[in-house]
Amino acid sequence: MTLATVVPRKYTGYDQPAAKHLPGMTAWADCASDFSKLKNVGTWVVRDQRSHPGTPSVHGTGRAVDLSYGGMKAGRAACNQLIAFLIKWNVELGVELILDYYPKPFGRGWRCDRQAWHKYSKPTIGGAPGGEWIHVEINRPMALQPDVVRSTWSRLTLGRV
């Protein structure tokens, strides 16, 4: 683990709407899927958060992806490996937030500003518990730079992606 991965960073959240898919986010989602075999089930879409009507989803900024392991053999294990990789390299990959819908009682969330998981004690994220996907948000610079995204994933995976 690098020193940078333990230094809290500011969490962006919803900042500005995007008019279309952002090229770096598309590349990032492709790399994450290639690495983990999880399926990209959604990036850019303008909508409210499912659990908080009236609050825009970060998907609308073009900086979020949902990755599903539903129907995969050993899918949860593959998801856990991806989560560990994303947290280890969160600075380099621009990861700001990971929502994990599976754990009881109400899922959990990891954020860059606390560099730790928070296990929810009340309904907080729609689809939890038991959801077979994770939601990942990245920073705007990564979401805009597909070449940087691909070279970073390639370097961190030793050319596997």
Side-chain angles (χ1 to χ4, degrees):
M1 184 178 297
T2 64
L3 177 60
T5 60
V6 296
V7 176
R9 294 172 288 119
K10 186 177 185 303
Y11 169 67
T12 305
Y14 186 91
D15 56 352
Q16 65 188 56
K20 61 183 180 176
H21 290 272
L22 298 182
M25 181 75 253
T26 300
W28 198 99
D30 289 347
C31 290
S33 290
D34 288 348
F35 175 74
S36 65
K37 306 307 179 217
L38 272 66
K39 182 179 178 185
N40 173 356
V41 292
T43 56
W44 174 75
V45 62
V46 178
R47 65 168 174 77
D48 287 347
Q49 294 178 16
R50 297 188 197 290
S51 57
H52 298 95
T55 303
S57 168
V58 175
H59 282 283
T61 70
R63 298 183 299 101
V65 62
D66 291 335
L67 298 164
S68 174
Y69 56 92
M72 285 177 60
K73 185 176 181 178
R76 184 63 195 180
C79 181
N80 287 339
Q81 289 175 344
L82 176 61
I83 287 171
F85 183 83
L86 297 179
I87 291 171
K88 179 177 181 178
W89 300 109
N90 72 87
V91 173
E92 293 83 351
L93 294 171
V95 176
E96 291 193 348
L97 173 79
I98 302 169
L99 296 178
D100 184 1
Y101 299 81
Y102 184 76
K104 292 181 181 180
F106 301 106
R108 62 185 182 154
W110 179 95
R111 278 190 18 183
C112 62
D113 58 351
R114 64 176 172 251
Q115 292 288 312
W117 285 102
H118 176 75
K119 188 172 182 179
Y120 300 120
S121 58
K122 62 182 182 178
T124 304
I125 53 176
E132 294 182 323
W133 74 95
I134 58 171
H135 168 94
V136 181
E137 297 174 12
I138 65 172
N139 63 34
R140 185 158 298 281
M142 288 299 273
L144 294 172
Q145 301 179 75
D147 293 339
V148 171
V149 166
R150 284 189 283 275
S151 66
T152 302
W153 274 91
S154 179
R155 179 175 49 83
L156 297 176
T157 64
L158 304 174
R160 180 175 156 195
V161 173

